[in-house]
Short mmCIF file of all heavy atoms in Angstrom, two decimals:
data_model
loop_
_atom_site.label_atom_id
_atom_site.label_comp_id
_atom_site.label_asym_id
_atom_site.label_seq_id
_atom_site.Cartn_x
_atom_site.Cartn_y
_atom_site.Cartn_z
N GLY A 1 186.47 69.88 71.66
CA GLY A 1 186.10 70.17 73.05
C GLY A 1 185.44 68.99 73.75
O GLY A 1 185.37 68.98 74.99
N SER A 2 184.91 68.07 73.00
CA SER A 2 184.19 66.90 73.57
C SER A 2 184.76 65.62 73.01
O SER A 2 185.05 65.55 71.79
CB SER A 2 182.72 66.99 73.27
OG SER A 2 182.11 68.13 73.90
N THR A 3 184.87 64.66 73.84
CA THR A 3 185.38 63.34 73.41
C THR A 3 184.50 62.23 74.01
O THR A 3 183.82 62.44 74.99
CB THR A 3 186.84 63.07 73.83
OG1 THR A 3 186.97 63.21 75.25
CG2 THR A 3 187.79 64.07 73.13
N SER A 4 184.56 61.09 73.40
CA SER A 4 183.83 59.91 73.91
C SER A 4 184.66 58.67 73.67
O SER A 4 185.35 58.57 72.64
CB SER A 4 182.47 59.80 73.19
OG SER A 4 181.71 58.73 73.71
N TYR A 5 184.62 57.75 74.61
CA TYR A 5 185.40 56.54 74.52
C TYR A 5 184.57 55.30 74.87
O TYR A 5 183.70 55.36 75.72
CB TYR A 5 186.61 56.58 75.50
CG TYR A 5 187.58 57.73 75.19
CD1 TYR A 5 187.44 58.93 75.80
CD2 TYR A 5 188.62 57.52 74.28
CE1 TYR A 5 188.35 59.96 75.56
CE2 TYR A 5 189.50 58.52 74.03
CZ TYR A 5 189.36 59.75 74.66
OH TYR A 5 190.27 60.76 74.42
N ALA A 6 184.92 54.22 74.20
CA ALA A 6 184.35 52.97 74.60
C ALA A 6 184.89 52.59 76.00
O ALA A 6 186.03 52.95 76.34
CB ALA A 6 184.72 51.87 73.65
N ASP A 7 184.08 51.89 76.77
CA ASP A 7 184.51 51.52 78.11
C ASP A 7 185.80 50.70 78.12
O ASP A 7 186.62 50.81 79.01
CB ASP A 7 183.40 50.71 78.82
CG ASP A 7 182.20 51.56 79.23
OD1 ASP A 7 182.37 52.80 79.26
OD2 ASP A 7 181.15 51.01 79.44
N SER A 8 185.99 49.91 77.09
CA SER A 8 187.12 49.05 76.99
C SER A 8 188.46 49.76 76.85
O SER A 8 189.52 49.20 77.12
CB SER A 8 186.93 48.01 75.87
OG SER A 8 186.82 48.71 74.62
N VAL A 9 188.39 51.00 76.37
CA VAL A 9 189.63 51.75 76.16
C VAL A 9 189.76 53.03 77.02
O VAL A 9 190.80 53.67 77.01
CB VAL A 9 189.79 52.16 74.69
CG1 VAL A 9 189.67 50.95 73.77
CG2 VAL A 9 188.77 53.21 74.28
N LYS A 10 188.70 53.32 77.76
CA LYS A 10 188.71 54.52 78.57
C LYS A 10 189.87 54.51 79.56
O LYS A 10 190.08 53.51 80.27
CB LYS A 10 187.39 54.67 79.30
CG LYS A 10 187.16 55.98 79.96
CD LYS A 10 185.72 56.08 80.51
CE LYS A 10 184.70 56.02 79.40
NZ LYS A 10 183.28 56.17 79.89
N GLY A 11 190.58 55.61 79.61
CA GLY A 11 191.72 55.72 80.53
C GLY A 11 193.06 55.26 79.89
O GLY A 11 194.11 55.51 80.45
N ARG A 12 192.97 54.58 78.75
CA ARG A 12 194.15 54.12 78.08
C ARG A 12 194.38 54.83 76.74
O ARG A 12 195.52 55.04 76.35
CB ARG A 12 194.08 52.62 77.82
CG ARG A 12 193.97 51.78 79.11
CD ARG A 12 194.14 50.30 78.82
NE ARG A 12 193.02 49.80 77.96
CZ ARG A 12 193.19 49.28 76.74
NH1 ARG A 12 194.41 49.12 76.25
NH2 ARG A 12 192.16 48.85 76.05
N PHE A 13 193.28 55.16 76.05
CA PHE A 13 193.38 55.76 74.71
C PHE A 13 192.97 57.24 74.82
O PHE A 13 192.12 57.61 75.66
CB PHE A 13 192.44 55.09 73.74
CG PHE A 13 192.84 53.70 73.31
CD1 PHE A 13 193.85 53.01 73.96
CD2 PHE A 13 192.16 53.07 72.29
CE1 PHE A 13 194.22 51.71 73.60
CE2 PHE A 13 192.49 51.79 71.88
CZ PHE A 13 193.55 51.09 72.52
N THR A 14 193.57 58.07 73.99
CA THR A 14 193.21 59.45 73.90
C THR A 14 193.10 59.90 72.47
O THR A 14 194.03 59.68 71.67
CB THR A 14 194.30 60.33 74.61
OG1 THR A 14 194.49 59.95 75.96
CG2 THR A 14 193.87 61.82 74.53
N ILE A 15 191.96 60.45 72.12
CA ILE A 15 191.75 60.97 70.76
C ILE A 15 191.94 62.44 70.77
O ILE A 15 191.64 63.18 71.73
CB ILE A 15 190.33 60.61 70.28
CG1 ILE A 15 190.17 60.97 68.78
CG2 ILE A 15 189.26 61.25 71.12
CD1 ILE A 15 188.87 60.46 68.12
N SER A 16 192.55 62.93 69.73
CA SER A 16 192.79 64.35 69.57
C SER A 16 192.75 64.73 68.10
O SER A 16 192.74 63.86 67.23
CB SER A 16 194.14 64.76 70.18
OG SER A 16 195.23 64.12 69.55
N ARG A 17 192.73 66.03 67.82
CA ARG A 17 192.73 66.44 66.42
C ARG A 17 193.46 67.75 66.27
O ARG A 17 193.56 68.54 67.19
CB ARG A 17 191.29 66.57 65.89
CG ARG A 17 190.46 67.72 66.51
CD ARG A 17 188.98 67.57 66.11
NE ARG A 17 188.82 67.75 64.66
CZ ARG A 17 187.70 67.36 63.98
NH1 ARG A 17 186.72 66.76 64.62
NH2 ARG A 17 187.63 67.59 62.68
N ASP A 18 194.01 67.92 65.11
CA ASP A 18 194.68 69.17 64.72
C ASP A 18 194.06 69.61 63.43
O ASP A 18 194.42 69.12 62.34
CB ASP A 18 196.17 68.93 64.57
CG ASP A 18 196.92 70.21 64.30
OD1 ASP A 18 196.32 71.21 63.89
OD2 ASP A 18 198.18 70.25 64.55
N ASN A 19 193.10 70.50 63.52
CA ASN A 19 192.36 70.92 62.34
C ASN A 19 193.24 71.66 61.34
O ASN A 19 192.95 71.61 60.14
CB ASN A 19 191.16 71.81 62.74
CG ASN A 19 190.07 71.00 63.42
OD1 ASN A 19 189.95 69.78 63.26
ND2 ASN A 19 189.22 71.68 64.16
N ALA A 20 194.26 72.32 61.80
CA ALA A 20 195.16 73.01 60.89
C ALA A 20 195.90 72.03 60.00
O ALA A 20 196.31 72.35 58.89
CB ALA A 20 196.20 73.85 61.69
N LYS A 21 196.10 70.81 60.50
CA LYS A 21 196.77 69.76 59.74
C LYS A 21 195.82 68.76 59.14
O LYS A 21 196.24 67.79 58.51
CB LYS A 21 197.76 69.02 60.63
CG LYS A 21 198.93 69.89 61.13
CD LYS A 21 199.90 69.08 61.96
CE LYS A 21 201.07 69.95 62.41
NZ LYS A 21 202.03 69.12 63.23
N ASN A 22 194.51 69.00 59.30
CA ASN A 22 193.49 68.06 58.83
C ASN A 22 193.76 66.63 59.32
O ASN A 22 193.68 65.67 58.51
CB ASN A 22 193.39 68.10 57.30
CG ASN A 22 192.81 69.41 56.76
OD1 ASN A 22 192.12 70.11 57.51
ND2 ASN A 22 193.14 69.73 55.56
N THR A 23 194.09 66.47 60.56
CA THR A 23 194.54 65.19 61.03
C THR A 23 193.89 64.87 62.41
O THR A 23 193.79 65.77 63.26
CB THR A 23 196.06 65.14 61.16
OG1 THR A 23 196.64 65.37 59.92
CG2 THR A 23 196.50 63.77 61.65
N VAL A 24 193.50 63.65 62.59
CA VAL A 24 193.01 63.17 63.89
C VAL A 24 193.94 62.07 64.36
O VAL A 24 194.46 61.30 63.59
CB VAL A 24 191.55 62.70 63.82
CG1 VAL A 24 191.41 61.55 62.85
CG2 VAL A 24 191.00 62.33 65.17
N TYR A 25 194.14 62.01 65.66
CA TYR A 25 195.08 61.03 66.26
C TYR A 25 194.39 60.15 67.29
O TYR A 25 193.39 60.51 67.88
CB TYR A 25 196.21 61.75 66.93
CG TYR A 25 196.94 62.75 66.10
CD1 TYR A 25 196.62 64.12 66.11
CD2 TYR A 25 197.99 62.33 65.25
CE1 TYR A 25 197.28 65.02 65.32
CE2 TYR A 25 198.67 63.27 64.43
CZ TYR A 25 198.30 64.60 64.48
OH TYR A 25 198.98 65.51 63.70
N LEU A 26 194.96 58.98 67.45
CA LEU A 26 194.55 58.13 68.53
C LEU A 26 195.80 57.61 69.24
O LEU A 26 196.53 56.79 68.70
CB LEU A 26 193.72 56.94 68.00
CG LEU A 26 193.15 56.01 69.09
CD1 LEU A 26 192.09 56.72 69.90
CD2 LEU A 26 192.56 54.74 68.49
N GLN A 27 196.01 58.15 70.43
CA GLN A 27 197.16 57.70 71.26
C GLN A 27 196.68 56.52 72.06
O GLN A 27 195.72 56.66 72.85
CB GLN A 27 197.61 58.83 72.18
CG GLN A 27 198.75 58.46 73.11
CD GLN A 27 200.01 58.16 72.35
OE1 GLN A 27 200.43 58.90 71.44
NE2 GLN A 27 200.66 57.04 72.67
N MET A 28 197.35 55.41 71.92
CA MET A 28 196.97 54.21 72.63
C MET A 28 198.07 53.78 73.57
O MET A 28 199.20 53.53 73.12
CB MET A 28 196.74 53.10 71.58
CG MET A 28 195.68 53.44 70.50
SD MET A 28 195.33 52.08 69.38
CE MET A 28 196.88 51.97 68.54
#
């Protein structure tokens, strides 16, 4: 429900997670 980004990547990168798959993603 909450995310945080470095200023250098804000607006370009998106972090997400799928707990059912025990996986976190970083879309760049």
Side-chain angles (χ1 to χ4, degrees):
S2 297
T3 58
S4 183
Y5 298 92
D7 289 341
S8 59
V9 306
K10 191 173 298 182
R12 299 188 297 119
F13 291 10
T14 302
I15 187 171
S16 62
R17 67 190 296 162
D18 186 339
N19 288 339
K21 295 182 178 180
N22 291 337
T23 302
V24 62
Y25 305 95
L26 184 67
Q27 178 66 48
M28 305 183 293

